[in-house]
Amino acid sequence: MATLSLGYLAVVFPASAQVSSVRTADEANFRPETFFLGHTEGTGRLKIMFRRRRIVHVHGNGRIDQSGALVLDQEVDDADGPLKHREWKMRSLGGGRYAATLSDATGPVVGTVKGNTLRLAFPAKGGLRIWQVLVLSSDGRSARNRLTIRKMGIVVAKLYETITRAD
């Protein structure tokens, strides 16, 4: 007999039965180099300390460059300022670890993937530290993004965004 464990459920099969790989949404790996390939659209709510909440739209175009890194060009429209361009370059280091650069960051971007969750952390201008948690949906077509910005340990801004693959 062989046992297949699905978290809270264990199923016993005869040893001769072939068991195919079963993956639930919680077990699916978030692969940024696949999710952000092509066109993505993001819409979110940004709340900066002492300011009114505002809607943010992000249009992204991702491609793989010659070195194999994901290059993600984004246009950010927060309706309260000029359209802002930023560029991500992200490379898998293996074992669920990622290294990246971001035009907004003042230092390296560190990323880790565990299951359907991608976590990113990086420093930004003005002594800011930014943490992002992106959770991939079960269909792989969208992700929830929760971004937190801290200065001297105090939360100064939060963004809640849904990112959707457009192609």
Side-chain angles (χ1 to χ4, degrees):
M1 294 295 208
T3 302
L4 173 63
S5 177
L6 300 173
Y8 64 90
L9 174 69
V11 181
V12 179
F13 293 94
S16 61
Q18 294 217 348
V19 179
S20 63
S21 176
V22 176
R23 295 180 75 85
T24 65
D26 292 334
E27 296 169 330
N29 283 329
F30 194 133
R31 297 199 52 210
E33 63 274 32
T34 303
F35 179 78
F36 288 104
L37 198 57
H39 188 69
T40 53
E41 298 285 336
T43 301
R45 297 178 329 269
L46 174 65
K47 176 62 174 113
I48 300 173
M49 184 185 287
F50 307 123
R51 296 186 189 172
R52 67 179 174 81
R53 184 168 304 173
R54 58 186 178 210
I55 302 298
V56 175
H57 297 283
V58 181
H59 307 277
N61 284 299
R63 62 182 169 79
I64 303 299
D65 72 5
Q66 296 172 358
S67 72
L70 168 70
V71 176
L72 177 60
D73 290 303
Q74 294 179 318
E75 298 292 332
V76 181
D77 181 2
D78 73 2
D80 283 350
L83 197 62
K84 182 178 175 186
H85 177 82
R86 68 178 170 207
E87 181 182 82
W88 291 84
K89 287 188 180 179
M90 184 177 292
R91 171 181 306 289
S92 173
L93 301 175
R97 296 177 306 123
Y98 285 82
T101 59
L102 171 62
S103 53
D104 292 352
T106 59
V109 178
V110 176
T112 58
V113 169
K114 184 171 184 181
N116 67 339
T117 303
L118 167 65
R119 296 177 190 279
L120 300 167
F122 55 93
K125 293 178 185 174
L128 301 175
R129 293 287 309 164
I130 301 174
W131 288 269
Q132 281 184 264
V133 178
L134 294 98
V135 179
L136 186 64
S137 67
S138 60
D139 66 4
R141 301 284 309 157
S142 66
R144 291 184 324 267
N145 177 23
R146 185 180 75 224
L147 179 140
T148 303
I149 302 173
R150 294 179 187 267
K151 183 166 184 157
M152 297 188 308
I154 298 169
V155 175
V156 296
K158 286 191 172 195
L159 172 74
Y160 298 94
E161 175 189 27
T162 299
I163 304 167
T164 305
R165 291 185 44 83
D167 38 317

